[in-house]
Amino acid sequence: MKAITIVKPGQVEIRDLPKPEIKNDEALLRPLFGGICGSDLNSYRGTNEFSAEIVEIGRDVKNFKVGDIVTANPYFNCGHCYSCGRGLVNACMSNQTMGVQREGGFAEFVAMPGNRLIDGKGLPPKTLALIEPFCIGYHGIQRAGVKAGDKVLVVGAGTIGVLAAIAAKSRGAEVWICDVAPKKLEYAMKFGLKGTILNTGAEAFDKAWREITDNNGFDVTVECVGLPSTFQNCLDAACFGARVAVIGVGKHNIDLDFTIIQKKELNIYGSRNAMTRDFVELIDVVRSQNLKIDDVITNIYPFDKAAQAFEDFDKNAGSMLKVMIEF
């Protein structure tokens, strides 16, 4: 079979690999659409967000059949650590995520345990491939207890940020989104958000959130970038007693005057990955509310143009949102 392989940073090739042989508790999937994650293009090994058709099924796999269109939970938990024992399988202490700690789904065929398959319930394959990144934002919005009437600020208008904003809006909140890239903010407004903040610096950001909230701050702020400055933005723009959800993956230490957390009596929620129930719930939400999440896709490349997709995304991350590979 053909598989997209990142040989080294900046070098993507399509190689011939052995077709997987499934075990009794697995299904063989033929991916249809897969998304490129923008969090770390250089070390990316393969997608963890995809839709696929079942082409072969093990005898022990129940509730699915050949021909079904599915997605899958790509977060492999160990099942025996302290987190797993308490039901926090999304925060497994030995978590292995497809496309990160283990091989992903950028291939013509993928073997997947049957208990990780999730019924697409008739969603189009392109939409279904977006459920995994949507779950990342959705899980964080749930963690922060976003409800109707809340004023919510999402910091970061990348794919995860925009999908988090859509998730908050779907729960009845008034949602603003903030970013340094004007084009991304313009694109985000396609989803009916309340407004945007162009973050051109600390002074401009401070003035913007104060004007929007009459100096009170937002009920919920959501960090979707992973930088010290954007986490600080979320703390600064949060009202007293606010909830702060941290979704972005940080790689830098922060020099923080943490008195602001005590002074405002903030509730800070870490949010990691998602649960299978998030996938199931979100598929129902997308169907029942007819959410047009496909609009976050700005570019689609055919399988044989994968190298070009990575190169373009790497050079144009400020204007490209979700990049898809069509298998």
Side-chain angles (χ1 to χ4, degrees), residues 6 8-10 39-46 99-100 251:
I6 294 188
K8 61 182 181 180
S39 61
D40 194 352
L41 288 168
N42 285 336
S43 64
Y44 206 76
R45 296 174 62 209
V100 185
K251 296 182 179 179

Side-chain angles (χ1 to χ4, degrees), residues 288-310:
S288 64
Q289 297 190 23
N290 194 28
L291 297 180
K292 305 298 184 183
I293 61 173
D294 285 21
D295 287 344
V296 304
I297 302 171
T298 54
N299 306 82
I300 299 177
Y301 292 78
F303 183 86
D304 61 357
K305 300 295 182 183
Q308 188 66 50
F310 277 89

Side-chain angles (χ1 to χ4, degrees), residues 21-28 56-62 111-115 117:
E21 295 184 5
I22 63 170
K23 302 173 184 176
N24 290 336
D25 62 347
E26 294 180 328
L28 187 66
E56 186 181 342
I57 199 161
R59 66 186 184 191
D60 296 336
V61 177
K62 309 300 181 185
M112 180 66 62
N115 60 8
L117 300 179

Side-chain angles (χ1 to χ4, degrees), residues 78-148:
C78 70
H80 54 74
C81 70
Y82 190 56
S83 294
C84 289
R86 291 178 297 142
L88 299 174
V89 296
N90 61 306
C92 170
M93 297 164 71
S94 302
N95 172 76
Q96 292 191 347
T97 298
M98 289 179 64
V100 185
Q101 292 89 6
R102 61 191 298 149
E103 292 302 323
F106 270 164
E108 289 182 305
F109 297 97
V110 176
M112 180 66 62
N115 60 8
R116 297 197 163 272
L117 300 179
I118 299 163
D119 184 5
K121 295 185 177 179
L123 284 183
K126 189 164 58 174
T127 305
L128 193 58
L130 290 168
I131 292 297
E132 189 276 338
F134 200 178
C135 277
I136 300 296
Y138 180 77
H139 186 76
I141 293 301
Q142 283 193 315
R143 290 274 292 149
V146 173
K147 62 184 184 301

